[in-house]
Amino acid sequence: MEFSSRVTSITPSSTLAITAKAKQLKAEGHDVIGLGAGEPDFNTPQYIIEASYQSMLDGHTKYTPAAGLPALKGAIAQKFKADQGIEYAADEIIVTSGAKHSLSLLFQTILQEGEEVIIPSPYWVSYPEQVKVAGGVPVFIEGKEEQNFKVTKEQIEQVITDKTKAFIINSPSNPTGVMYSKEELKIIGDVCLEHDILIVSDEIYEKLIYGRESHVSIAQISDALKEQTVIVNGVSKSHSMTGWRIGYTAGNKEIINKMSNVASHTTSNPAVMSQYGAIAAYQEDDGSVGNMRDAFEERLNKVYDQLNGIPGFSCVKPQGAFYLFPNVKEAVEKSPFHSTDEWVTALLEEEKVAVVPGSGFGSPDNIRLSYATSLDQFEEALGRIRRFVDKYNG
């Protein structure tokens, strides 16, 4: 069997691979602490579960429009108006089977063969692979640690060609947790406006921000930037609904219409009971979302200094999301392992701690640890990591 070049060019997800290995070791009876998965450790709030269950009892178990229930689109539109002060009509929103599906549909919709998408690194592992599957070419620019992993206007301008179609921004970021300010976003936005580059703004972690900072969407800065931007979001991280698979995209109605056409021939509509759960998520609030955010912030503040105190580790403190992304180059170089990937594998095998190597995020000197786990478990994991480092670093 000969497979398509698009399929053979993609790389498996490193986050899913390390999670699978950790689950295998757990099944064999090992005491594994998994810090790899990108999902909250809280259950979905009860009021959302009850709304979804009631929708099924009420007979809402049939197909919906491929682009999602009108009521859910209305709830999403109201969320945008309340949170960002921007307005979207129903035909400017599509509901999808997770935010990852939104991105996949978007790239299939906008990219011609060989067109380029600028992706700042470190990046979420699926961005470049989705671009390649859609026939596009990922173009990377490095957000250096000394720049808090952020990219500059000059870096963007250096890689723009006549094939550049889109620029991806993820704020707060997976894997770094850093967030762009309104001023930084405007500078990037102006470059994209000048060169007519579509802005893809992944805002999936917007509700998980710590300290005194608040989330700013690049689309809310000006009418021109709203027209130039497609926002991707969902309820997975904000409401601990990863398994419910509800994401959405808001933007130019022609783009949304074409995405809806593709969805109608692939997945059809997202699961209807999940859509009713998402309606409740946005129309009701029992305090669960804020409590979850507060718990993540408490964990971050308690474990950050402990992590930074491990010999050979240095870490930029995240402003959002629930990841730590330390540079471990010094620790790896003092060990017998030849790469961070080998070091991570040995850590899992010897100390039964699962972290994700930074190579999958375009940053091979780093590792990603998720603090979406209990504080006791995370501190135990840090103790094992320190023991592992001390063992090989002398």
Side-chain angles (χ1 to χ4, degrees), residues 308-353:
N308 241 4
I310 297 175
F313 279 46
S314 64
C315 186
V316 173
K317 190 170 185 178
Q319 298 164 281
F322 39 67
Y323 308 108
L324 291 157
F325 199 61
N327 185 309
V328 298
K329 181 178 181 181
E330 183 181 331
V332 173
E333 287 180 342
K334 290 182 178 180
S335 76
F337 308 107
H338 298 101
S339 68
T340 303
D341 289 59
E342 288 186 11
W343 188 94
V344 164
T345 299
L347 174 66
L348 178 56
E349 292 175 347
E350 295 181 25
E351 291 291 348
K352 307 301 183 289
V353 176

Side-chain angles (χ1 to χ4, degrees), residues 131-326:
V131 168
K132 287 188 285 186
V133 168
V137 178
V139 176
F140 304 109
I141 49 178
E142 182 183 3
K144 298 181 184 295
E145 287 187 57
E146 53 267 31
Q147 300 169 188
N148 283 335
F149 295 114
K150 299 178 185 180
V151 298
T152 65
K153 169 186 176 181
E154 292 73 22
Q155 286 179 291
I156 298 170
E157 290 177 330
Q158 286 173 4
V159 299
I160 293 174
T161 72
D162 58 0
K163 292 185 177 181
T164 304
K165 190 62 173 285
F167 172 85
I168 299 177
I169 188 159
N170 178 210
S171 176
S173 161
N174 173 10
T176 66
V178 301
M179 186 168 64
Y180 285 81
S181 68
K182 181 177 181 179
E183 293 73 22
E184 291 166 335
L185 291 172
K186 186 179 185 305
I187 291 170
I188 290 172
D190 287 344
V191 174
C192 293
L193 285 171
E194 180 183 350
H195 295 276
D196 194 24
I197 298 169
L198 185 71
I199 301 165
V200 180
S201 183
D202 182 347
E203 303 180 7
I204 195 72
Y205 293 99
E206 62 155 340
K207 295 295 185 183
L208 298 176
I209 295 173
Y210 315 118
R212 297 181 180 179
E213 299 293 331
S214 58
H215 177 261
V216 177
S217 170
I218 196 168
Q220 75 187 76
I221 295 175
S222 69
D223 290 341
L225 282 172
K226 177 177 178 286
E227 290 300 311
Q228 198 73 15
T229 300
V230 174
I231 296 177
V232 174
N233 206 331
V235 292
S236 291
K237 317 296 182 178
S238 60
H239 293 78
S240 194
M241 295 174 68
T242 52
W244 296 64
R245 309 314 301 136
I246 295 293
Y248 53 87
T249 305
N252 177 283
K253 66 180 181 181
E254 293 183 6
I255 293 176
I256 298 302
N257 177 260
K258 296 297 187 294
M259 290 175 64
S260 300
N261 289 343
V262 176
S264 72
H265 291 292
T266 51
T267 57
S268 296
N269 61 274
V272 61
M273 58 287 299
S274 294
Q275 292 190 64
Y276 277 98
I279 292 171
Y282 281 142
Q283 290 185 340
E284 304 175 37
D285 182 10
D286 68 351
S288 301
V289 173
N291 292 339
M292 182 172 66
R293 191 213 67 85
D294 291 346
F296 286 141
E297 183 170 20
E298 179 184 11
R299 294 174 191 177
L300 170 63
N301 290 334
K302 287 187 175 180
V303 303
Y304 174 73
D305 288 338
Q306 295 179 51
L307 177 76
N308 241 4
I310 297 175
F313 279 46
S314 64
C315 186
V316 173
K317 190 170 185 178
Q319 298 164 281
F322 39 67
Y323 308 108
L324 291 157
F325 199 61

